[in-house]
Amino acid sequence: MRRKTVIRTGLSALLLVGSWATAGFAPAAAATSAEEAPASAGMLTAMQKDLGLTAGQAKARLAAEKTATAVESKAVRAAGASYGGSWYNAASDTLTVAVTDSGKAEAIRATGATVRVVEHSASLLDATKTKIDALGKSAPDGVAGWGVDAKTNQVVVNVVADQRNDSAVRSFVARAEKAGPVTVEETTQAPSTTAAGTVGGDPYYTGNVRCSIGFSVHGGFVTAGHCGGTGASVSGWDGSYIGNFQGSTFPGNDYAWVNVGSGWWTVPVVLGWGTVSDQLVRGSNEAPVGASICRSGSTTHWRCGTLQGKNITVNYGNGQLVYSLTQTSACAEGGDSGGSFISGDQAQGVTSGASGNCSSGGNSFYQPINPILSRYGLTLHTA
């Protein structure tokens, strides 16, 4: 009963039943004045736990990452066609921008970023990855995925270590290496999606699958596409009808949105699950590689990590590939699918899948939020 009470309290913040007045929930404007910092004490506590930071370090890191996000957009414009990628280093508090043209270095440094001259542009690396994506239908389960790595200036193909010598894996890698600048790395475990069977007292259900709410949009919420097909009925933690999947894509992409009605309501909040304070959502500016990031899900609740890479293709097995995912070191488990990834007060994306778990550690993958909003013509609900 205690667990159900905690879950109900958390969900009432995201999907409010009834009106503001009836539930006694203050409007977003009132909540904003109570929280001046970009992150609550709860988020700072979670970052201390998962990233090994002090309270002061966590607060300083969020402020530095907010600055780095702003610098990155300016530096990318300054680099132009010679842009080769960028990443943030928390230890040195530096945003590094790779360029193929050394003549752009001065303009980039003027934005506040450091510069690394590289051989390959981001557009060439993206084109290489696109060529490998075209091979995706033939990817064996021993190939976990692939994506652009700005730091190495290569496209990294990840293979499951104990299957690296499998003939199908070797064949796929050989074809991938012909696409352009490619390197191969090993991983101990292939990723999988993080949906789960029905368990009482969780955010939402479709059929016999439990998933997690991502972010409120005007008229509903976004979540993972593998949680349900278009038209599927969705019920809340208490079993009451919420709405239906209005659009859903999986594989290829992994995103969906659900309309909200029947007395349910939406607010710009990410759940803290009773262990950290609920987080207000104020926008969706994309964080750079290297930034800290936290996620909320119905199984493992609040977890934090570091943004490790973008534009990742993940092979979930049986020919189910998902493109353009972002990889993080925050763990996730079954039932966390569709849940929120947030950096500071900025929405980042919805949970797609993971490798490993929250006991032994692992990686997670999310579908970035802005392409979801664009695809369905949705507007993020912000404070």
Side-chain angles (χ1 to χ4, degrees), residues 14-198:
L14 183 60
L15 291 175
L16 188 65
V17 179
S19 67
W20 297 109
T22 303
F25 192 94
T32 301
S33 64
E35 181 178 312
E36 299 296 333
S40 72
M43 176 177 281
L44 296 174
T45 298
M47 289 178 67
Q48 292 173 68
K49 174 179 177 292
D50 291 338
L51 297 178
L53 305 174
T54 66
Q57 288 171 334
K59 191 171 184 179
R61 179 161 177 174
L62 285 174
E65 290 171 355
K66 186 175 182 180
T67 299
T69 298
V71 168
E72 184 180 41
S73 62
K74 297 176 183 177
V76 170
R77 288 195 296 270
S82 70
Y83 177 67
S86 53
W87 59 93
Y88 176 73
N89 186 312
S92 60
D93 188 20
T94 55
L95 178 75
T96 300
V97 175
V99 288
T100 58
D101 180 2
S102 60
K104 299 284 188 180
E106 185 176 349
I108 294 170
R109 292 191 184 99
T111 69
T114 61
V115 177
R116 178 184 295 180
V117 179
V118 296
E119 181 180 356
H120 310 298
S121 68
S123 61
L124 186 148
L125 294 175
D126 287 341
T128 298
K129 179 184 175 293
T130 298
K131 291 177 182 178
I132 303 174
D133 286 345
L135 305 174
K137 295 295 184 180
S138 64
D141 292 355
V143 177
W146 51 90
V148 173
D149 181 10
K151 289 184 180 180
T152 62
N153 200 226
Q154 299 275 313
V155 174
V156 177
V157 176
N158 289 291
V159 300
V160 180
D162 62 6
Q163 298 183 54
R164 182 162 187 170
N165 293 321
D166 179 83
S167 59
V169 171
R170 291 202 311 271
S171 175
F172 183 88
V173 168
R175 283 179 290 155
E177 289 175 333
K178 295 178 181 178
V182 168
T183 187
V184 178
E185 294 183 0
E186 293 185 352
T187 183
T188 57
Q189 184 177 346
S192 61
T193 55
T194 49
T198 299

Side-chain angles (χ1 to χ4, degrees), residues 21-377:
T22 303
F25 192 94
T32 301
S33 64
E35 181 178 312
E36 299 296 333
S40 72
M43 176 177 281
L44 296 174
T45 298
M47 289 178 67
Q48 292 173 68
K49 174 179 177 292
D50 291 338
L51 297 178
L53 305 174
T54 66
Q57 288 171 334
K59 191 171 184 179
R61 179 161 177 174
L62 285 174
E65 290 171 355
K66 186 175 182 180
T67 299
T69 298
V71 168
E72 184 180 41
S73 62
K74 297 176 183 177
V76 170
R77 288 195 296 270
S82 70
Y83 177 67
S86 53
W87 59 93
Y88 176 73
N89 186 312
S92 60
D93 188 20
T94 55
L95 178 75
T96 300
V97 175
V99 288
T100 58
D101 180 2
S102 60
K104 299 284 188 180
E106 185 176 349
I108 294 170
R109 292 191 184 99
T111 69
T114 61
V115 177
R116 178 184 295 180
V117 179
V118 296
E119 181 180 356
H120 310 298
S121 68
S123 61
L124 186 148
L125 294 175
D126 287 341
T128 298
K129 179 184 175 293
T130 298
K131 291 177 182 178
I132 303 174
D133 286 345
L135 305 174
K137 295 295 184 180
S138 64
D141 292 355
V143 177
W146 51 90
V148 173
D149 181 10
K151 289 184 180 180
T152 62
N153 200 226
Q154 299 275 313
V155 174
V156 177
V157 176
N158 289 291
V159 300
V160 180
D162 62 6
Q163 298 183 54
R164 182 162 187 170
N165 293 321
D166 179 83
S167 59
V169 171
R170 291 202 311 271
S171 175
F172 183 88
V173 168
R175 283 179 290 155
E177 289 175 333
K178 295 178 181 178
V182 168
T183 187
V184 178
E185 294 183 0
E186 293 185 352
T187 183
T188 57
Q189 184 177 346
S192 61
T193 55
T194 49
T198 299
V199 177
D202 292 292
Y204 81 87
Y205 306 98
T206 176
N208 65 346
V209 172
R210 167 171 61 85
C211 281
S212 301
I213 293 166
F215 291 95
S216 291
V217 296
H218 291 287
F221 64 84
V222 293
T223 187
H226 70 263
C227 291
T230 301
S233 178
V234 173
S235 57
W237 70 275
D238 60 353
S240 66
Y241 171 74
I242 295 177
N244 296 81
F245 279 82
Q246 298 300 302
S248 179
T249 300
F250 179 84
N253 293 301
D254 192 7
Y255 49 57
W257 83 281
V258 176
N259 70 313
V260 167
S262 303
W264 289 79
W265 199 256
T266 62
V267 290
V269 170
V270 172
L271 303 178
W273 289 99
T275 56
V276 300
S277 300
D278 292 347
Q279 308 297 308
L280 289 175
V281 179
R282 303 187 191 278
S284 58
N285 292 328
E286 186 177 340
V289 170
S292 62
I293 194 164
C294 297
R295 48 156 296 276
S296 178
S298 60
T299 298
T300 60
H301 298 177
W302 193 266
R303 303 284 176 162
C304 296
T306 301
L307 198 157
Q308 298 175 315
K310 301 180 181 182
N311 195 19
I312 306 296
T313 296
V314 171
N315 182 8
Y316 287 130
N318 299 315
Q320 295 181 321
L321 277 76
V322 178
Y323 310 104
S324 302
L325 296 178
T326 298
Q327 179 177 317
T328 87
S329 62
C331 66
E333 296 182 5
D336 287 327
S337 280
S340 322
F341 270 90
I342 189 167
S343 180
D345 57 4
Q346 300 295 305
Q348 298 298 307
V350 300
T351 305
S352 174
S355 59
N357 54 53
C358 289
S359 296
S360 60
N363 301 108
S364 57
F365 304 90
Y366 68 81
Q367 185 88 60
I369 182 70
N370 289 325
I372 306 175
L373 301 177
S374 177
R375 168 65 178 82
Y376 294 121

